[in-house]
Amino acid sequence: MTEHPALSAIKQWHDEYIAFRRDLHAHPEIGFDLPRTAQKISDHLSQLGIEYYTGMAKSGVIAVIPGRISPNRRHIGLRADMDALLIRESNRFAHASCTPGRMHGCGHDGHTTMLLACARYLAQTRNFVGTAYCIFQPAEEGADGCKQMIEEGLLNRFPLDFVYALHNWPELPFGKVAVRTGAVMASCDKLTIEIEGVGGHGAMPYLTV
């Protein structure tokens, strides 16, 4: 089977993007406050000559890449999250977190890097119908960064027909991409229960409600 040209192209940049991801991994940032991460992304997009916008949801970055074929025909969003987790990293490799209590433990450093490589390939070839929007979203980990970007006008400024939320999946074979409509992975839901009754001591639970 012939290798897809996108994979062949991106393989040439492999070492460069390994270094980029490791740099992000070593410098994790949390929630909406991602100044270094957003700047790294912006700088790289600038080097590639790709149009982009910043500041949405504080640290969000949106790259705009028109295709050569009917750029106004359809608008597709590709989204990656950028934020890390408030957990301590125990790894000992050279690119382990430099900030105690923070770690890229959910792969968002990889998501960001993959989308940048994708943006580079799309910008170099532009062999597609419509316009691609590469959306780098802050605050995915429990802070509703996507909702914040939408409330600040993401879909008004950049009308999208479809959005694909990029996520790594180590179980897939190298070079394969899986796509489906609707939910794919688990989400976190919050449930609050209010109980009205009589409080008491833990040693006498039978006297409480």
Side-chain angles (χ1 to χ4, degrees):
M1 181 180 295
T2 304
E3 187 173 75
H4 193 281
L7 185 58
S8 301
I10 291 173
K11 274 184 176 179
Q12 301 174 36
W13 315 324
H14 201 205
D15 290 344
E16 177 183 351
Y17 285 108
I18 286 175
F20 193 98
R21 185 199 70 83
R22 289 180 175 179
D23 179 81
L24 293 183
H25 190 92
H27 301 91
E29 296 178 306
I30 302 298
F32 291 97
D33 192 21
L34 314 173
R36 186 184 187 277
T37 304
Q39 190 63 55
K40 288 274 295 182
I41 293 167
S42 298
D43 290 346
H44 194 65
L45 292 171
S46 293
Q47 292 168 7
L48 297 173
I50 297 175
E51 177 186 0
Y52 68 91
Y53 300 86
T54 62
M56 190 167 289
K58 190 172 183 179
S59 299
V61 182
I62 301 97
V64 181
I65 308 171
R68 289 190 285 107
I69 308 167
S70 302
N72 295 320
R73 182 171 166 185
R74 62 185 176 189
H75 303 82
I76 307 297
L78 304 171
R79 167 269 194 190
D81 35 26
M82 306 183 289
D83 54 324
L85 295 163
L86 287 169
I87 58 176
R88 182 176 62 85
E89 180 160 22
S90 299
N91 294 310
R92 294 289 183 266
F93 43 59
H95 59 279
S97 173
C98 299
T99 307
R102 297 182 178 185
M103 178 192 176
H104 269 297
C106 198
H108 296 188
D109 50 339
H111 301 169
T112 296
T113 305
M114 286 189 291
L115 188 54
L116 277 174
C118 175
R120 180 174 181 173
Y121 177 77
L122 292 175
Q124 287 187 359
T125 60
R126 299 187 187 264
N127 188 29
F128 57 91
V129 175
T131 296
Y133 298 84
C134 295
I135 303 164
F136 298 88
Q137 177 206 313
E140 190 270 347
E141 295 291 353
D144 295 331
C146 178
K147 179 181 178 183
Q148 184 66 32
M149 293 185 82
I150 291 172
E151 289 178 348
E152 292 185 16
L154 173 68
L155 300 180
N156 294 326
R157 291 178 61 185
F158 311 101
L160 301 172
D161 298 306
F162 301 96
V163 179
Y164 294 88
L166 182 66
H167 205 287
N168 61 36
W169 199 327
E171 289 79 11
L172 283 177
F174 177 77
K176 298 295 183 181
V177 177
V179 182
R180 64 159 290 172
T181 300
V184 177
M185 298 183 176
S187 66
C188 178
D189 293 317
K190 298 177 182 179
L191 177 66
T192 301
I193 301 175
E194 295 184 4
I195 300 175
E196 295 183 6
V198 179
H201 196 281
M204 295 177 284
Y206 53 88
L207 298 179
T208 69
V209 175

